[in-house]
Amino acid sequence: MSSRAGTLGPVGLVVAGLLCQELGASFAIMLFPTVGALGMVTLRLVFSALVLMVVFRPRLAGYSRSDWMIVVAFGLTVGGMNMMFYTALDRLPLGTTVTIEVLGPLVLSVVVSRRASAWLWAVLAFAGVALLSQGGAGALDPVGVAFAAGTGVFWAAYILLSARTGARFPKLDGIAIAMVVGAVMSLPFGLLTAGSALFEPRVLLLGLAVALLSSTVPYAFELLALRRIPEATFSILMSLAPAIAALAGLVILGQSLTWIEAAAIALVIAASVGAVRSAARRRAPGPVSPAEPLA
């Protein structure tokens, strides 16, 4: 009984972090009419970079050329992932976008497990996405689906480069530097599409809120939770992201789901949990789950 009660705290932290993340995404969507998807990306990455640089004050000297190549590649991945994600959100419901993008890290976890049976989970996930496209709310925007799938590819690359960056840079220096690279990458696109609207006080305030809700607060919660629960348990909880995204879309944005769409999301979540458990049993090196990225 006591051990069960002891897990309620970290479980609550993980769920709260996911809720904050999807709340941040919902606020971002509300800003689309003013600054567009790419303008929102710029606001999020610039504010996230500023917060991380101020809080962690990363050391910039003493790294090799290969170290910088890794962290720059990581930063470009962060920028590309966010641009893909928000462009997809401009065309698809929040829950649908997150469900499709989960395929990237899910397939990565299946590959890492090196078990032929693990591919059954990937097949189940793809079946869920196929069912999602027949959800009854009209055909999904194919361009939006392509951007959501592209986000999944970037997400898988994010996991791999995050591990390599963490091995070369102490503490959270690597992600702080990478966020600056991503912010610089996104800045021309944001200025080109949003222009002076990016500098309106209301927009800046909401942009800061999105950065804090989508990056800073969830990551702090996740770090606290990981000190108290196993990584496999944490990863299974993170697999709930599509359901929480769908709930946020329903409550905040009024994006309703049909029963078929709900069943499709449930299939993807089941596949994610199955892939996590399969990889954890084998104890394969590297990522075992589609953990939600900081960016």
Side-chain angles (χ1 to χ4, degrees), residues 165-251:
T165 301
R168 294 168 180 258
F169 292 80
K171 301 178 183 178
L172 296 179
D173 288 11
I175 185 60
I177 296 170
M179 195 68 71
V180 172
V181 173
V184 171
M185 169 189 173
S186 71
L187 191 58
F189 297 97
L191 291 174
L192 183 64
T193 58
S196 61
L198 280 177
F199 304 102
E200 295 178 6
R202 181 186 69 88
V203 170
L204 290 173
L205 184 61
L206 285 174
L208 176 60
V210 169
L212 293 175
L213 286 169
S214 298
S215 300
T216 309
V217 173
Y219 195 59
F221 284 175
E222 290 163 15
L223 285 178
L224 290 173
L226 278 169
R227 295 175 182 175
R228 300 168 60 187
I229 56 175
E231 285 188 11
T233 302
F234 171 80
S235 299
I236 289 173
L237 290 171
M238 295 299 288
S239 298
L240 297 174
I244 293 178
L247 179 62
L250 174 64
V251 174

Side-chain angles (χ1 to χ4, degrees), residues 56-72 164-177:
F56 298 110
R57 298 181 182 180
R59 177 173 59 88
L60 301 179
Y63 297 112
S64 67
R65 181 179 179 182
S66 62
D67 292 339
W68 282 107
M69 290 179 65
I70 289 293
V71 78
V72 168
R164 294 185 180 184
T165 301
R168 294 168 180 258
F169 292 80
K171 301 178 183 178
L172 296 179
D173 288 11
I175 185 60
I177 296 170

